[in-house]
Amino acid sequence: MDAPRTPLPPIVDGEEWDRRRAVLLAREKAHTREGDAIAAERRRLPMTEIDPVTLRGPSGEISLLDVFDGRDELVVYKHMWFDGQPFEGQCEGCTISIWDFRDAVYLREAGVSFAVFTEGPYEEVAPFREFMGYVHPWYSTRGISDPAIAGGGMIACYLRDGDRVFLTYETYGRGVETIMSSLHLLDLTPYGRREEWEDSPEGWPVSPHSFWRSEGRPTAQWTRPGVTPVHSHEHAHVHP
């Protein structure tokens, strides 16, 4: 028997398509304006001061002030970390999130530094960063208990005023999607992200989390030169 066909969106003439598109466009523009209003409110949030802390980077200990790299604002992605796990055992969501944001040049031009914080010990984190080819500076927060610095799976924004540092904003839940342009593009396609939680028409294809992890690895790892399947005996050079 032939495999069942994937359902297709309804087919209409150009005039009907324009009409339906115009209806959705009005909602999209309202959504954009609401997003602008939320951003305006975000700029009016108060801030809370952070006690001085020391992180660990490639040159050893470094103060939070120095992570700003001479700028007054800092955006941080807090990368989850699983101690002692191999590269493929690290968080697929965080792995792809940072991979989706390759260069912070426009942030730097706006006077904003970008860094990755993780609770993993730096001696474990550094080989993972090198393996993935990430260009952003990474720092270990191991031993820091302040939730304004520690934690994983979120984005945080900081402001420096002289020698004082303040937390101004932090995302929760799906807030890290802000950094993942691929998800926003998938939302424009007829089949979307193909995840189970999405509100899609009956029969729409669903392949839960398939794009997050492939053949035992976070999908982004398959971009790395020389990477091999997890169960292969030939991958020791990229998988300690």
Side-chain angles (χ1 to χ4, degrees), residues 83-176:
D83 284 359
Q85 293 299 308
F87 296 159
E88 68 271 12
Q90 297 304 328
C91 175
E92 58 266 28
C94 291
T95 300
I96 293 175
S97 296
I98 300 300
W99 187 252
D100 228 14
F101 183 64
R102 300 297 304 280
D103 199 322
V105 59
Y106 293 111
L107 292 183
R108 293 192 296 271
E109 186 64 22
V112 181
S113 292
F114 181 84
V116 179
F117 288 179
T118 180
E119 294 179 312
Y122 194 77
E123 59 270 17
E124 286 189 21
V125 171
F128 178 75
R129 176 183 179 271
E130 182 179 0
F131 163 68
M132 288 301 305
Y134 294 136
V135 298
H136 307 300
W138 282 54
Y139 301 99
S140 171
T141 63
R142 179 58 58 98
I144 298 175
S145 59
D146 187 344
I149 300 295
M154 59 190 72
I155 297 170
C157 299
Y158 306 93
L159 180 65
R160 181 175 68 89
D161 181 25
D163 291 337
R164 302 172 71 189
V165 176
F166 301 86
L167 174 68
T168 63
Y169 182 74
E170 190 168 70
T171 65
Y172 297 95
R174 290 173 54 191
V176 294

Side-chain angles (χ1 to χ4, degrees), residues 10-204:
I11 300 174
V12 298
D13 61 30
E15 183 177 345
E16 174 65 9
W17 189 90
D18 287 340
R19 187 188 69 79
R20 295 283 296 274
R21 179 68 188 96
V23 171
L24 181 58
L25 180 62
R27 293 185 62 188
E28 290 176 337
K29 294 307 179 184
H31 177 73
T32 298
R33 289 190 293 272
E34 177 63 12
D36 291 341
I38 291 172
E41 189 67 22
R42 192 180 292 121
R43 291 190 292 272
R44 289 166 171 78
L45 280 174
M47 58 187 184
T48 184
E49 189 166 4
I50 302 171
D51 291 333
V53 294
T54 299
L55 301 88
R56 188 179 174 201
S59 300
E61 292 189 344
I62 182 172
S63 71
L64 179 58
L65 278 171
D66 287 336
V67 176
F68 280 77
D69 196 26
R71 301 179 180 89
D72 290 335
E73 293 184 85
L74 171 68
V75 174
V76 166
Y77 186 95
K78 296 184 179 182
H79 195 293
M80 297 177 68
W81 192 262
F82 304 119
D83 284 359
Q85 293 299 308
F87 296 159
E88 68 271 12
Q90 297 304 328
C91 175
E92 58 266 28
C94 291
T95 300
I96 293 175
S97 296
I98 300 300
W99 187 252
D100 228 14
F101 183 64
R102 300 297 304 280
D103 199 322
V105 59
Y106 293 111
L107 292 183
R108 293 192 296 271
E109 186 64 22
V112 181
S113 292
F114 181 84
V116 179
F117 288 179
T118 180
E119 294 179 312
Y122 194 77
E123 59 270 17
E124 286 189 21
V125 171
F128 178 75
R129 176 183 179 271
E130 182 179 0
F131 163 68
M132 288 301 305
Y134 294 136
V135 298
H136 307 300
W138 282 54
Y139 301 99
S140 171
T141 63
R142 179 58 58 98
I144 298 175
S145 59
D146 187 344
I149 300 295
M154 59 190 72
I155 297 170
C157 299
Y158 306 93
L159 180 65
R160 181 175 68 89
D161 181 25
D163 291 337
R164 302 172 71 189
V165 176
F166 301 86
L167 174 68
T168 63
Y169 182 74
E170 190 168 70
T171 65
Y172 297 95
R174 290 173 54 191
V176 294
E177 291 184 5
T178 299
I179 204 172
M180 298 184 70
S181 58
S182 294
L183 293 186
H184 302 301
L185 290 175
L186 283 172
D187 286 341
L188 302 182
T189 66
Y191 296 129
R193 306 182 192 185
R194 306 188 182 203
E195 295 194 56
E196 291 178 322
W197 61 267
E198 288 184 288
D199 181 1
S200 297
E202 184 69 27
W204 244 229

